[in-house]
Amino acid sequence: MYPAGGGSASAPPPPAESTGVGAKAKQDEESGGKPVMVVLVGPPGSGKSTFAEAVLAGSAAGRPWVRVCQDTIGNNKAGTKIQCLKAAADALKEGESVFIDRCNMDREQRTDFVKLGSTLHADVHAISLELPAKVCISRAVSRTGHEGNLQGGKAALVVNRMLQKKETPLLTEGFTRIMFCNDDSDIKKAVDLYSSLGSSDSLPSGVFGQKSKGPVQVGIMKFLKKADSSSVEKSSDPKLTLSERKPEHQDAVSKEENVEAGDCSIEVKEELNEKAENRKQAKGSGSYDIGSHTLAFPSISTADFQFDLDRASDIIVESAADFLRKYNNLRLVLVDLSKKSRILSLVKDKAAKKRIDSSRFFTFVGDITQLLSKGGLQCNVIANAANWRLKPGGGGVNAAIFNAGGEALQHATKKCADTLRPGSSVVVSVPSTSPLHQQEGVTHVIHVLGPNMNPMRPDYLKNDYTKGCKILREAYNSLFENFASTVQSYMRKQNNDSVADKAAASVITPSDSKMKREGSHESERMKKHKSFQPILTSKKQHEGPGSNALNRSGTSLGSSDAPNQATEAGNKNSGAVAGKSWGSWAQALYELAMHPDKYKNSDSILEISDEFVVLKDLYPKAKKHVLVISRMNGLDSLADVKKEHLPLLRKMHSAGVKWAQKFLEEDASLVFRLGYHSVPSMRQLHLHIISQDFNSASLKNKKHWNSFTTSFFRDSVDVIVEIEQHGSTTTSSDDKVLAMELRCHRCRSAHPNIPKLKSHIANCKSPFPSYLLQKNRLLSSSTEHMDCT
DNA sequence: GTTCTAGAAC
DNA sequence: GTTCTAGAAC
């Protein structure tokens, strides 16, 4: 028996009698209790010492704990790893459980401890403190007063570098249990759990908790202070350990993403308890139902269709990486039956190299039709490597899935489609009568057909890998997009059941965000019936007399070409579509788009056509920042864009490219990005063309920054592709993205506030993340002409 | 979208 | 005391 892992320790085991600690522990060992070695993982300031102290102070269940801290082990000198290993060995031999309190940021740093623990028959756990960089930095910086060898900004630099170098602890390193703590509640639960661990208890194996992706958790500071204020002072020694100062850490190169590398492959285990744990995790103690956001898929075309594994693994990793960037809260799991699966290990390695977030994309060994019952992994959506007839049989995954799905799945599939062409996929809703639904909670199967390199099968490509790779990419794109839209409609359904459901916020679809806005602004709309704010009034003030400032000349709109003129007065505050609420201040672009002639003499207007207006942004967030504003009435934002708007989108894109190129002629050092805000503040679809210097006094706050440097900013090229393939866009961003910590758009380093961020970006010469270097997302003087037409 | 400002953080 | 953020008002 053991306390509930990952959750609260509701039923602490009975306290043991207080005999001599060593003797008692030996006795425990005889009765089945094992000492535990907990390797704490986290940068300076992440709260490792506080964590260990809190357990030491709070442990009432009889398990003897020792904290081995490299900061303090050296008696005022820098401690060494050897000293820590020795102290840990001594404690374990005595039957005491140990916290390894040093940063342990990469695998190499942890290996010796894992080995030691296993040799001495201890359970070896890792607890990864996944605090936002900002919190760690502010704590580390504030400590420098005590120590002095790391001053303010330098401490921030070290924390950043360590975070960039960080490798997520993996079960494959030899840990039996890994816990990720993202916020105060996670930490409190973990502290409670370990505090209540009796001397003969053990904790279930596996991975618990998720890697943090969200914004800074302010509450963490409060908890840490509260947990043990004296120990914070006492134990949060400012000194960095030797290992942290090692030059290789200092040399860490900024990478595309500051996420951990590695795989999170979870072994399929039979223990009921572990399954319960995983299920709990899957059911989502967090903010959303992970199961419904997880797609389990087999490798397409690599089995029967004999597609080259190396090429296939490249495509899987690239497609998954693209997908994860696009959708914030969705999770992908590549599944194969065999532990020795070559495709799994290839994908695992490549994903690690690409530093893909292993909590959102990982490999899993198990039967895709029994993930929940046998593996404890809940995936509501699974993919099938189907055949072109969409028929059962043929062996492999296809046979297994149709088998598990029963006749109900066959019927449901037949209703959706008769055949499938290579590179495409089809979503089938699994009837509730299907065993797959009932036993495994699978709500959707997405049948995918990949390219075939097997001469014995239809559509044989004769080793033409140019074609083959293209088709395989299409297949995965189609699969992933279908998965995203499946989740969206699921969330929409949930939403209808419960509008307040927080889950809705996790994946905001166009209609979700609309609903949200409508709901929350309903009353606001009623009170906002003030007169229309003149367009760009402040511009007029700034420009002074005689300027061509844009402003609204009186109340009469004059023009008769505006289709909605009759209703415009009524729509001023609500927008033209579906009663969406726009504040009066948010209508300036709409006004301009409807009546550009009124403003045609303004310096701010660069171009007017029948379909768009190009305007210098009045509050540019960079040296060059212009907007291409659609003139189509009713097209308020990305959420309204449909396939029929593609020609317009392409024209707007071309106009944006044209202006970017003009600016590049004037200043070849600029780099431009073209894109839309997921959920814009201003009514009327507008494309931003913005130089990536972000050198502007108008860029003032976190929202400004994050709206141009996170997934909130949707590259025009991606929007166009998405509409082409999917018919509408998915805006996966929400307020959380805008509230995220401030990270450099080039090197991804974190910064505590806007002024510090600004001084960093003024000098940062790191290359742009590789994501931006692909597909002409960035436009520079060396970019060849790009066009989406 | 910006401006203003209280109060938190430094 | 000064800097900075975040929320409300517009």
Side-chain angles (χ1 to χ4, degrees), chain A residues 70 210 234 311 315 355 419 550 658 667-668 673 710:
Chain A
Q70 188 159 329
Q210 291 232 317
K234 184 173 57 183
R311 291 185 174 106
I315 291 171
R355 298 180 154 236
T419 58
L550 302 171
K658 183 184 80 186
D667 183 351
R673 200 171 166 198
T710 67

Side-chain angles (χ1 to χ4, degrees), chain A residues 88-153:
Chain A
D90 290 347
L92 290 174
K93 280 178 195 159
E94 279 298 301
E96 293 165 320
S97 294
V98 196
F99 282 107
I100 306 301
D101 182 3
R102 58 203 290 283
C103 293
N104 300 310
M105 292 293 269
D106 56 48
R107 190 182 181 131
E108 193 193 331
Q109 289 295 330
R110 300 186 286 258
T111 299
D112 291 339
F113 290 95
V114 175
K115 271 189 204 151
L116 175 72
S118 328
T119 311
L120 296 176
H121 308 293
D123 269 343
V124 187
H125 298 177
I127 294 183
S128 190
L129 298 168
E130 306 273 328
L131 274 84
K134 181 181 169 176
V135 174
C136 302
I137 289 169
S138 76
R139 286 164 61 91
V141 168
S142 71
R143 293 176 197 169
T144 53
H146 301 283
E147 197 55 29
N149 68 6
L150 272 179
Q151 298 299 327

Side-chain angles (χ1 to χ4, degrees), chain A residues 32-52:
Chain A
K34 265 181 166 185
V36 178
M37 174 193 273
V38 180
V39 177
L40 294 164
V41 178
S46 59
K48 297 181 298 294
S49 298
T50 309
F51 186 100

Side-chain angles (χ1 to χ4, degrees), chain A residues 688-708:
Chain A
H688 292 266
I689 288 84
I690 184 162
S691 60
Q692 297 295 296
D693 50 86
F694 295 111
N695 179 0
S696 161
S698 295
L699 198 159
K700 291 175 176 169
N701 59 43
K702 190 178 258 187
K703 190 175 173 184
H704 290 155
W705 178 256
N706 283 336
S707 73
F708 288 101

Side-chain angles (χ1 to χ4, degrees), chain A residues 347-367:
Chain A
V347 166
K348 210 189 283 182
D349 291 349
K350 288 174 184 176
K353 273 191 194 132
K354 274 196 114 180
R355 298 180 154 236
I356 295 179
D357 183 344
S358 60
S359 68
R360 296 184 55 216
F361 176 47
F362 54 92
T363 57
F364 194 94
V365 178
D367 180 344

Side-chain angles (χ1 to χ4, degrees), chain A residues 491-505 512 515-516 518-520:
Chain A
M491 298 313 297
R492 245 174 248 149
K493 246 185 213 164
Q494 297 282 104
N495 247 1
N496 289 339
D497 294 344
S498 153
V499 177
D501 191 350
K502 275 189 183 170
D512 288 334
M515 275 161 57
K516 206 174 140 204
E518 281 164 22
S520 61

Side-chain angles (χ1 to χ4, degrees), chain A residues 271-292:
Chain A
E271 291 105 306
L272 280 168
N273 291 320
E274 191 194 36
K275 276 187 269 171
E277 278 307 323
N278 275 329
R279 220 172 279 153
K280 199 187 290 174
Q281 184 195 345
K283 289 267 181 195
S285 50
S287 59
Y288 65 98
D289 174 3
I290 292 179
S292 68

Side-chain angles (χ1 to χ4, degrees), chain A residues 2 37 57 329 368 405 473 567 611 629 634 671 770:
Chain A
Y2 48 78
M37 174 193 273
N329 287 319
I368 199 163
R473 272 200 188 90
T567 57
E611 285 163 295
I629 307 160
V671 176
S770 63

